[in-house]
Structures are given as C-alpha cells and as structure tokens.
Amino acid sequence: MLLRLRPTTAGARSPRHDATIMRRRYSGARDSPAELLWKFRGVVAVVSVPIFLFLAVLLLMPRAADDSLDFSSNAMDRDARLSQAYGSADSPRTYPAARDVHVESRDAVDVDPREGDLGVARPIGGNVLPSPPSTVVEPPSKVVSASSPTANNAAADDDARKYAIVFDAGSTGSRVHVYRFDETEDGSLALVDDTFEQLKPGLSSFAKFPSEGADSIDPLLEIAMKTVPEARRATTTVEVRATAGLRLLPGKEADGLLDAVRAKLKGYPFSFNDDSVSIMDGAEEGAFQWLTMNYLLGNLDGDLSDTVATVDLGGGSVQLAYAAEEKHVKAAPEGYFKAMTSGSKKYHVYVYSHLGFGIMAARAAVLGSANGAPSPCVPTGHSGTYEYGGKTHNVTGGSTPANATECKRVVNGVLAPDTKCGKVVRQTDCSFNGAWDGSRGPGTGKFYLSSYLFDRVTQAGLVDPGEPSGTTTPGEILKVAEKACEMTVDQIAVEYRDVDAKDAPYYCHDLSYAHSLLTVGYKIHDEDVVTLVKQVEYNGQLTEAAWPLGAAINALSN
C-alpha cells in the first residue's frame, strides 16, 4: 500500500507514527495478547460470568452415591462384559470397586444384586479386566425357640449340646446356619436355636476368581467360630451345599470354586471331608426339605404313617418326596431313594426332581406349544410375549374366553403321564414324563405343598395368606381355575389383587397347571385334602421349612 508522507509540523504526528498506526489498524493479528485482552475486555467480562457460574455448580453440586444405578448405554456395555467374565447371565451382578467387607443393615442388603459399581483394572493396552466383586454382609440374627435358655445361661450348658454348620451357597448370596441342638435320651435332636447370617454376592459370582470366592465366606466362618464353643468345634459338622448358581457354571469353574472352599475349610477346626462341599442336586434338596418339614411337624417320633409327603413347586423344577417302606427300595430303579437319618431313626425317602416342570418352565412349554396361535390358557384379548430360558414365545388369547378344561388338555400333553418309566414296571407305577413312582404307601397319606403352589392358591382365596398354612382340595383349585380362565387380564387384576401384573396373563395357566400337576402328575384325588404351607410352628415360633435344617439333622445323626 502506498503511503503519502507529509512534512512534520509542531504538534503533528510523524509519518513513522502514522504508518505504525495504519499497519496495526490493517493487521490486528499482530496485536500483543495484552492489547487484545484490553481491546475486548467488555466481551470477556460478559462471557466469563456464565462460565464461572457453571464451574461453581459443578464444584458445589453433591456427587451421586457410588452404588447409584446407571442406565446409560455404557452401563449396558459394562453389564455385558461382566456377564461374559463371570460365565452366567443368571449369576448375581454386584461389582463394587473394592474387595472390602461392608457391614450393613438387613434392609440395605435386600436390594437387587445388579446394583453397584464395576471395579475394573486397566492394564497397558486398554483392555478391561473385571476385578472380583466385594462381599456385603448382613448382621447376624438368631432364631431362638421358646424353650431355649437365654444367651447367658446357654453357655453353661453348651458342653452337652451339639452344633452343626450348614452353608447354603445360592445364586444370589451365601448363607450360613449355625444350628444348636439338645440331644435327648433316645438320641433324637431338639433344636435350640439357629444363628443365621448371609452375604452377597454368591459364590458363582467369583467364577473367574476361585480364591477370592473362598475368601468371601470368611465373615460367615467367623460367625461360626464365635457361635460354636471351642470345646465343641472338633465335633461340629460343617458342609457347604451349592445350588442353582454353581449348577449353571462350566464344570472347571465350578470345580475350581469347590476346591478353593475345601482348602479354606481345612484351616478351620470343624469336622468335614471333601464330600461335605458339593453342588447339591434337586433330589438332595427335596430329601433335606422332607426331613425339615417332618422334623418341625414332630412327625419323626412315630411310624411312617405319621410322616407327610412334600411337593415343592419352584420356577424351574418341582420335587416330590415321601418316606417309603424298605421293600420298595430294592424294587425301584436306581436313583430314586435317599437315605435320611434323624437321631436313631433311618428313613428311605423317595425323591424325584422334575427339571423343566417348575411353574415358569411349564409356562414356556405350554404356551410355546401354541406357536403364536391363540391358546386356551391365555385370557381373551391378551397379546404379548413370554421369555424363559433365553427364548421368547408369542402369547395370544382367543376371541372367546380361555377355558380351564381345554388348557388342562395342553398341560397334560406337556406332563406326558403315559410315558413309560422302565422296561418291566407297570404304567401305574409311573408319575409323569417317564419318572418312576411305585413306592406309595403309609408315607403318602398326607401331602404338604409349598412355594408357588402356596402362592397361587392363597392368591385365589382358598387359603388365608396371613396364616402360615391352610388346607384345600385339588377340586377347589380346579373351580378357581375355571373362574379365572373366564376373565380378562384386567378382571383378574381386580378380582385377585395379590396377583402381580406380570403374572395376571398367566394366572389361568398357573391354576390349571397346579391342578393337573397334583391330579394327573402325582395322582392325588380331587377330594383329597392337601395342606398349603409357608411356615411351620415349632416350639411356639413360626419357622420356614428350608432344607438346611434337614441337612444339619442328617449330618449330626450320621
């Protein structure tokens, strides 16, 4: 650019000064940072106010708790990684960042095990390796029978008492029961109390970390050490029975966990052998529960006719158990009897677990057989899907109301009561789906039904849900099934308020299935009285008839 220079006069600016000003005017980029900041000081002042306010909010706002739920896509990716790492989608998904043991209140522990943070180690290269989950421990609780002494007086009598420790290693957590018994003159056992504690997650969550899995039960073992007097520890039996969670793991992972637990127990002074740590199958669980039920009812002091048969309907399987005469043991196919002992008495317990015939599994089989067509087990007007075992079934009701009789025809086809159960046995000795059941006798005079059978029947109003037990007949169950099947989903929700919304579309099926299971599967007559039971009164206290007590009685008696 051509600059015209004028002669300098007094008070005028020099051409050099004018040229400098013009160069700066036409090339502002050459201004120094300080000059630019001063030139735009107004803009900077205006912009800085919201920025400072935003930073202040970030610094002062309280942070979310570490165990808050994350519903972001990152959280879903995180769950997928952990599902792969731990080997089972059904195993609990609690992933705190540290392995510390946190003692919390009972209410704090009873949360969905999927809650919690993911502890991850980030090695060089960016791969994400899951760290072992931490354990959350509940405070111990003690259930003391009405006839037991106080804690202060109990210590003086402990030398004459027997103890048994049972670990229930379930899918959602590990639980320990420390049972204390008096031994009577005839050798039978009288329960004094049960010290109980549980922690989460379960052993199956440590599939990739067997040593950490064994360490996770340390707090429960310490409770056992504190509860059992030193003089009684060498004669106190301890057993760890794993259930659903470990059954789903690959064999090597499950074996690794069990071996780690065995090694752990060798460091404690209790009585155990390698067989004391195992994955318990459905038949063992059914046999122990039979023993628990009959023990709490006081039925083990008489003969077989004093005992009751038990039917436990779960989500995936159903178990039948009863005491049979010895003559049937030799005639039975292999695998149908378990030897149970209480005090000096021995029992031959028939027990069979029908895997795939629990109420949730049965829904999938019955509703899935329609292949998306209208089902007589589904309320009219309903259309949806049912998921079980990784499969999704289309569920549709017809244009006319569902029908219990027609629904039961489908159910009976799934039960398959005409399937042969052996080459030479009579068909009358078969129950359903090819299972042998030819040892009926004095031990099947009374049937006690539990779990989902109790739930569905009480929801129908046949048994008071506020009571620990009640009686009805299969014929009465059929009547309420016929009534429920005629209703729409909305009408079921109004009529049976205790039925969850997610179960209402299947309530017709569930009641129809319950009736067919009892009458067609287990051959109980419509007019026979059955007892629905949730708890049993023992020495003035209501006690749940869970299998660990039976396991303890059987271990001490042997």
Side-chain angles (χ1 to χ4, degrees), residues 211-232:
S211 296
E212 286 82 353
D215 291 343
S216 73
I217 66 172
D218 281 343
L220 303 183
L221 283 165
E222 290 307 310
I223 289 295
M225 289 288 288
K226 293 177 182 179
T227 304
V228 180
E230 184 175 358
R232 307 300 298 170

mmCIF file of all heavy atoms in Angstrom, residues 211-232:
data_model
loop_
_atom_site.group_PDB
_atom_site.id
_atom_site.type_symbol
_atom_site.label_atom_id
_atom_site.label_comp_id
_atom_site.label_asym_id
_atom_site.label_seq_id
_atom_site.Cartn_x
_atom_site.Cartn_y
_atom_site.Cartn_z
ATOM 1 N N SER A 211 -10.145 -68.306 44.428
ATOM 2 C CA SER A 211 -9.573 -67.995 45.751
ATOM 3 C C SER A 211 -10.351 -66.884 46.430
ATOM 4 O O SER A 211 -10.644 -66.958 47.637
ATOM 5 C CB SER A 211 -8.098 -67.587 45.606
ATOM 6 O OG SER A 211 -7.333 -68.657 45.106
ATOM 7 N N GLU A 212 -10.698 -65.849 45.656
ATOM 8 C CA GLU A 212 -11.492 -64.764 46.224
ATOM 9 C C GLU A 212 -12.884 -65.259 46.610
ATOM 10 O O GLU A 212 -13.470 -64.788 47.582
ATOM 11 C CB GLU A 212 -11.600 -63.611 45.218
ATOM 12 C CG GLU A 212 -10.330 -62.791 45.061
ATOM 13 C CD GLU A 212 -9.332 -63.436 44.105
ATOM 14 O OE1 GLU A 212 -9.585 -64.587 43.681
ATOM 15 O OE2 GLU A 212 -8.316 -62.793 43.787
ATOM 16 N N GLY A 213 -13.418 -66.206 45.841
ATOM 17 C CA GLY A 213 -14.713 -66.782 46.191
ATOM 18 C C GLY A 213 -14.672 -67.478 47.538
ATOM 19 O O GLY A 213 -15.569 -67.313 48.364
ATOM 20 N N ALA A 214 -13.613 -68.256 47.760
ATOM 21 C CA ALA A 214 -13.465 -68.911 49.062
ATOM 22 C C ALA A 214 -13.288 -67.887 50.172
ATOM 23 O O ALA A 214 -13.844 -68.031 51.268
ATOM 24 C CB ALA A 214 -12.289 -69.882 49.020
ATOM 25 N N ASP A 215 -12.512 -66.823 49.885
ATOM 26 C CA ASP A 215 -12.309 -65.778 50.898
ATOM 27 C C ASP A 215 -13.614 -65.051 51.228
ATOM 28 O O ASP A 215 -13.755 -64.504 52.326
ATOM 29 C CB ASP A 215 -11.285 -64.752 50.407
ATOM 30 C CG ASP A 215 -9.875 -65.324 50.314
ATOM 31 O OD1 ASP A 215 -9.633 -66.384 50.932
ATOM 32 O OD2 ASP A 215 -9.035 -64.722 49.620
ATOM 33 N N SER A 216 -14.559 -65.043 50.282
ATOM 34 C CA SER A 216 -15.792 -64.284 50.505
ATOM 35 C C SER A 216 -16.621 -64.833 51.650
ATOM 36 O O SER A 216 -17.446 -64.122 52.212
ATOM 37 C CB SER A 216 -16.637 -64.257 49.216
ATOM 38 O OG SER A 216 -17.243 -65.524 48.969
ATOM 39 N N ILE A 217 -16.423 -66.112 52.004
ATOM 40 C CA ILE A 217 -17.210 -66.679 53.105
ATOM 41 C C ILE A 217 -16.495 -66.557 54.447
ATOM 42 O O ILE A 217 -16.997 -67.056 55.462
ATOM 43 C CB ILE A 217 -17.598 -68.150 52.836
ATOM 44 C CG1 ILE A 217 -16.361 -69.051 52.817
ATOM 45 C CG2 ILE A 217 -18.385 -68.271 51.542
ATOM 46 C CD1 ILE A 217 -16.708 -70.536 52.755
ATOM 47 N N ASP A 218 -15.332 -65.894 54.465
ATOM 48 C CA ASP A 218 -14.614 -65.703 55.734
ATOM 49 C C ASP A 218 -15.490 -65.074 56.821
ATOM 50 O O ASP A 218 -15.467 -65.528 57.977
ATOM 51 C CB ASP A 218 -13.359 -64.859 55.520
ATOM 52 C CG ASP A 218 -12.210 -65.679 54.936
ATOM 53 O OD1 ASP A 218 -12.283 -66.920 55.009
ATOM 54 O OD2 ASP A 218 -11.252 -65.079 54.411
ATOM 55 N N PRO A 219 -16.251 -63.996 56.505
ATOM 56 C CA PRO A 219 -17.087 -63.406 57.571
ATOM 57 C C PRO A 219 -18.099 -64.401 58.136
ATOM 58 O O PRO A 219 -18.413 -64.365 59.330
ATOM 59 C CB PRO A 219 -17.794 -62.244 56.853
ATOM 60 C CG PRO A 219 -16.922 -61.912 55.691
ATOM 61 C CD PRO A 219 -16.353 -63.209 55.242
ATOM 62 N N LEU A 220 -18.607 -65.290 57.294
ATOM 63 C CA LEU A 220 -19.569 -66.281 57.775
ATOM 64 C C LEU A 220 -18.877 -67.343 58.631
ATOM 65 O O LEU A 220 -19.444 -67.810 59.628
ATOM 66 C CB LEU A 220 -20.276 -66.941 56.587
ATOM 67 C CG LEU A 220 -21.006 -65.999 55.630
ATOM 68 C CD1 LEU A 220 -21.725 -66.786 54.542
ATOM 69 C CD2 LEU A 220 -21.996 -65.113 56.382
ATOM 70 N N LEU A 221 -17.666 -67.717 58.248
ATOM 71 C CA LEU A 221 -16.917 -68.667 59.069
ATOM 72 C C LEU A 221 -16.559 -68.071 60.429
ATOM 73 O O LEU A 221 -16.534 -68.777 61.443
ATOM 74 C CB LEU A 221 -15.649 -69.100 58.329
ATOM 75 C CG LEU A 221 -15.861 -70.130 57.211
ATOM 76 C CD1 LEU A 221 -14.631 -70.210 56.315
ATOM 77 C CD2 LEU A 221 -16.196 -71.494 57.796
ATOM 78 N N GLU A 222 -16.299 -66.759 60.455
ATOM 79 C CA GLU A 222 -16.006 -66.121 61.743
ATOM 80 C C GLU A 222 -17.230 -66.131 62.652
ATOM 81 O O GLU A 222 -17.112 -66.270 63.875
ATOM 82 C CB GLU A 222 -15.517 -64.687 61.509
ATOM 83 C CG GLU A 222 -14.134 -64.610 60.870
ATOM 84 C CD GLU A 222 -13.109 -65.426 61.637
ATOM 85 O OE1 GLU A 222 -13.019 -65.267 62.878
ATOM 86 O OE2 GLU A 222 -12.407 -66.244 61.013
ATOM 87 N N ILE A 223 -18.409 -65.965 62.064
ATOM 88 C CA ILE A 223 -19.639 -66.079 62.861
ATOM 89 C C ILE A 223 -19.743 -67.477 63.453
ATOM 90 O O ILE A 223 -20.109 -67.655 64.622
ATOM 91 C CB ILE A 223 -20.868 -65.763 61.984
ATOM 92 C CG1 ILE A 223 -20.911 -64.274 61.647
ATOM 93 C CG2 ILE A 223 -22.170 -66.177 62.691
ATOM 94 C CD1 ILE A 223 -21.109 -63.366 62.844
ATOM 95 N N ALA A 224 -19.428 -68.494 62.641
ATOM 96 C CA ALA A 224 -19.469 -69.867 63.141
ATOM 97 C C ALA A 224 -18.466 -70.067 64.268
ATOM 98 O O ALA A 224 -18.769 -70.717 65.283
ATOM 99 C CB ALA A 224 -19.195 -70.847 61.997
ATOM 100 N N MET A 225 -17.264 -69.503 64.121
ATOM 101 C CA MET A 225 -16.250 -69.639 65.168
ATOM 102 C C MET A 225 -16.704 -68.989 66.470
ATOM 103 O O MET A 225 -16.455 -69.511 67.563
ATOM 104 C CB MET A 225 -14.940 -69.005 64.692
ATOM 105 C CG MET A 225 -14.227 -69.789 63.601
ATOM 106 S SD MET A 225 -13.475 -71.318 64.207
ATOM 107 C CE MET A 225 -12.098 -70.655 65.148
ATOM 108 N N LYS A 226 -17.362 -67.843 66.362
ATOM 109 C CA LYS A 226 -17.831 -67.154 67.563
ATOM 110 C C LYS A 226 -19.018 -67.866 68.208
ATOM 111 O O LYS A 226 -19.224 -67.756 69.422
ATOM 112 C CB LYS A 226 -18.215 -65.718 67.215
ATOM 113 C CG LYS A 226 -17.046 -64.843 66.816
ATOM 114 C CD LYS A 226 -17.511 -63.445 66.415
ATOM 115 C CE LYS A 226 -16.349 -62.573 65.969
ATOM 116 N NZ LYS A 226 -16.800 -61.225 65.546
ATOM 117 N N THR A 227 -19.801 -68.572 67.404
ATOM 118 C CA THR A 227 -21.019 -69.189 67.918
ATOM 119 C C THR A 227 -20.746 -70.544 68.564
ATOM 120 O O THR A 227 -21.343 -70.888 69.587
ATOM 121 C CB THR A 227 -22.048 -69.360 66.782
ATOM 122 O OG1 THR A 227 -22.285 -68.087 66.176
ATOM 123 C CG2 THR A 227 -23.361 -69.912 67.322
ATOM 124 N N VAL A 228 -19.837 -71.321 67.982
ATOM 125 C CA VAL A 228 -19.559 -72.669 68.484
ATOM 126 C C VAL A 228 -18.476 -72.592 69.545
ATOM 127 O O VAL A 228 -17.378 -72.069 69.279
ATOM 128 C CB VAL A 228 -19.116 -73.593 67.344
ATOM 129 C CG1 VAL A 228 -18.823 -74.997 67.876
ATOM 130 C CG2 VAL A 228 -20.187 -73.648 66.255
ATOM 131 N N PRO A 229 -18.718 -73.095 70.753
ATOM 132 C CA PRO A 229 -17.690 -73.079 71.800
ATOM 133 C C PRO A 229 -16.450 -73.858 71.355
ATOM 134 O O PRO A 229 -16.543 -74.826 70.585
ATOM 135 C CB PRO A 229 -18.372 -73.771 72.987
ATOM 136 C CG PRO A 229 -19.831 -73.640 72.720
ATOM 137 C CD PRO A 229 -19.984 -73.676 71.243
ATOM 138 N N GLU A 230 -15.301 -73.448 71.822
ATOM 139 C CA GLU A 230 -14.050 -74.071 71.396
ATOM 140 C C GLU A 230 -14.037 -75.570 71.657
ATOM 141 O O GLU A 230 -13.543 -76.357 70.834
ATOM 142 C CB GLU A 230 -12.870 -73.399 72.118
ATOM 143 C CG GLU A 230 -11.519 -73.908 71.676
ATOM 144 C CD GLU A 230 -10.370 -73.146 72.325
ATOM 145 O OE1 GLU A 230 -10.651 -72.200 73.085
ATOM 146 O OE2 GLU A 230 -9.202 -73.489 72.051
ATOM 147 N N ALA A 231 -14.606 -75.984 72.751
ATOM 148 C CA ALA A 231 -14.598 -77.407 73.107
ATOM 149 C C ALA A 231 -15.467 -78.247 72.184
ATOM 150 O O ALA A 231 -15.319 -79.474 72.142
ATOM 151 C CB ALA A 231 -15.056 -77.586 74.558
ATOM 152 N N ARG A 232 -16.404 -77.609 71.438
ATOM 153 C CA ARG A 232 -17.330 -78.364 70.583
ATOM 154 C C ARG A 232 -16.965 -78.293 69.107
ATOM 155 O O ARG A 232 -17.599 -78.938 68.281
ATOM 156 C CB ARG A 232 -18.753 -77.809 70.757
ATOM 157 C CG ARG A 232 -19.253 -77.738 72.181
ATOM 158 C CD ARG A 232 -19.295 -79.087 72.833
ATOM 159 N NE ARG A 232 -20.220 -80.013 72.156
ATOM 160 C CZ ARG A 232 -20.294 -81.315 72.408
ATOM 161 N NH1 ARG A 232 -19.474 -81.860 73.304
ATOM 162 N NH2 ARG A 232 -21.165 -82.067 71.772
#
